[in-house]
Amino acid sequence: MRTFDYARADSPEAAVRASGAGVRFIAGGTNLLDLMKLQIETPTKLVDISRLDLAGIEERGDGGLTIGALVPNSDLAADPRVIAKYEVLARALLAGASGQLRNKATTGGNLLQRTRCCYFYDIAARCNKRDPGSGCDARDGFNRILAVLGTSEQCIATHPGDMPVAMRALDATILTLKPDGDRRRISIHDFYRLPGETPEIETVLEPGELITHVELPAPVEGARHLYRKVRDRASYAFALVSVAGVVRVAEGKIASATLAFGGLGPMPWRDEGVEAVLVGEAPGDDAFNAAADALLADARGFGANDFKIPLMRRTLIASLRQLTGIAG
């Protein structure tokens, strides 16, 4: 780890004023510190935001929740309102990490965690995300956990998160504070960027912009929630594929469906075309296979990760059977 300066912010405004070239915010540090130890990230200064007043969860008048960026994952997963109204989120958080990590990891930091592609973590390897323009050793290398949707010639890394997948299924909104004092509301659907030619730019956040809160809309009444994660072992591991779903069935038809997917792409993945295939249809394998066809139409494996495509089909169909009450 390289040497760095350290400062503790006493307000969000002070934190963003202290931002600048080479400056990073730190809260739980569960991802950033690992990256610094390996010299993948080498900030010249850390601004500690861990003691800011951003660790509350509040109900809004419209029935939704406002979640502070510093709410620990453990607290969010255990909150009775989250368990009762946003079960998919609670389940995703509990599937996401060990208890020790959940105690430190924060809501805002979880949205920003970086890929676990082994070539990104190996500073001797070529990686356009870590070192723009150097190349991508993953394309022809060990790519078993990497993306099959949304890739580019520059990068096939996957987003590693669980919580952000559930947040995308819940239509979350991310609230931020910019260094000039302006505040932004960013839909989670617009928050992440595909790699394209610039895989090192992963979100639409501007330099020095600080996530302060996440808003969840009022829950869908009468809907079933599910988070299904397929991984190499039952203990703490990143998803090979995952499904976050909120589905409501009424009068024998699928009345509404929101579905997001992990392990498939460089961001928490959502394709509204998949949902459109389902809404208005009677639950059954014909509709579920059509949804899988829509999701995977453009999927492309790179050898070792080819298995993800049929695995995602089976996982989606099993998830939809459970969400619509056909099974489980």
Side-chain angles (χ1 to χ4, degrees):
M1 182 184 293
R2 296 184 185 178
T3 58
F4 55 88
D5 293 328
Y6 170 87
R8 179 178 293 160
D10 57 11
S11 70
E13 292 76 14
V16 297
R17 285 197 301 269
S19 64
V23 178
R24 292 292 308 272
F25 301 126
I26 186 167
T30 56
N31 189 198
L32 177 59
L33 290 177
D34 286 343
L35 295 172
M36 290 174 63
K37 290 173 184 176
L38 295 170
Q39 297 190 25
I40 296 164
E41 297 221 16
T42 56
T44 57
K45 181 179 181 179
L46 294 182
V47 175
D48 186 346
I49 61 170
S50 63
R51 300 191 184 186
L52 300 185
D53 186 20
L54 297 174
I57 303 173
E58 298 179 357
E59 293 185 73
R60 299 194 310 278
D62 63 0
L65 285 183
T66 298
I67 303 162
L70 297 180
V71 174
N73 287 179
S74 292
D75 291 2
L76 188 57
D79 188 277
R81 296 160 294 186
V82 174
I83 294 170
K85 297 181 178 181
Y86 305 98
E87 182 185 357
V88 62
L89 177 57
R91 289 183 175 273
L93 286 161
L94 292 174
S98 66
Q100 295 94 328
L101 285 171
R102 291 198 302 271
N103 289 340
K104 291 296 293 181
T106 62
T107 300
N110 205 309
L111 291 167
L112 298 174
Q113 62 180 306
R114 307 198 70 187
T115 185
R116 264 57 178 191
C117 173
C118 61
Y119 298 101
F120 175 73
Y121 272 79
D122 180 1
I123 60 173
R126 297 184 306 157
C127 173
N128 290 315
K129 184 180 287 293
R130 175 175 35 76
D131 183 14
S134 63
C136 176
D137 281 341
R139 292 180 63 88
D140 298 315
F142 183 73
N143 49 47
R144 184 172 181 272
I145 68 168
L146 301 184
V148 297
L149 286 171
T151 61
S152 73
E153 291 297 316
Q154 304 300 315
C155 184
I156 63 170
T158 5
H159 188 277
D162 293 283
M163 185 203 79
V165 179
M167 290 286 196
R168 190 153 193 199
L170 292 170
D171 294 316
T173 299
I174 298 162
L175 279 58
T176 70
L177 175 65
K178 297 167 64 175
D180 62 5
D182 286 349
R183 295 182 181 271
R184 279 210 290 173
R185 299 173 57 86
I186 309 169
S187 167
I188 195 167
H189 308 305
D190 301 322
F191 183 71
Y192 294 101
R193 289 173 45 125
L194 291 173
E197 296 297 314
T198 54
E200 73 279 9
I201 304 174
E202 298 171 352
T203 73
V204 299
L205 289 179
E206 298 175 9
E209 191 169 6
L210 175 69
I211 296 174
T212 61
H213 299 85
V214 176
E215 288 185 350
L216 299 180
V220 178
E221 295 296 331
R224 292 191 181 206
H225 289 225
L226 170 145
Y227 188 73
R228 185 185 293 262
K229 180 177 182 179
V230 180
R231 46 191 166 180
D232 283 324
R233 59 182 187 274
S235 62
Y236 169 46
F238 297 103
L240 296 172
V241 298
S242 65
V243 178
V246 181
V247 173
R248 182 172 69 89
V249 176
E251 299 179 353
K253 300 289 181 68
I254 299 173
S256 66
T258 58
L259 297 162
F261 307 92
L264 290 187
M267 63 174 70
W269 198 260
R270 186 167 170 189
D271 182 344
E272 292 184 358
V274 177
E275 298 161 11
V277 167
L278 293 167
V279 173
E281 297 296 322
D285 283 351
D286 287 346
F288 302 162
N289 273 296
D293 288 343
L295 172 64
L296 299 169
D298 296 325
R300 175 196 172 190
F302 293 88
N305 67 347
D306 292 353
F307 74 99
K308 282 193 173 191
I309 298 172
L311 176 62
M312 185 73 255
R313 174 179 292 276
R314 295 193 300 271
T315 304
L316 175 56
I317 291 171
S319 299
L320 289 170
R321 289 177 65 84
Q322 186 172 341
L323 282 163
T324 57
I326 292 177

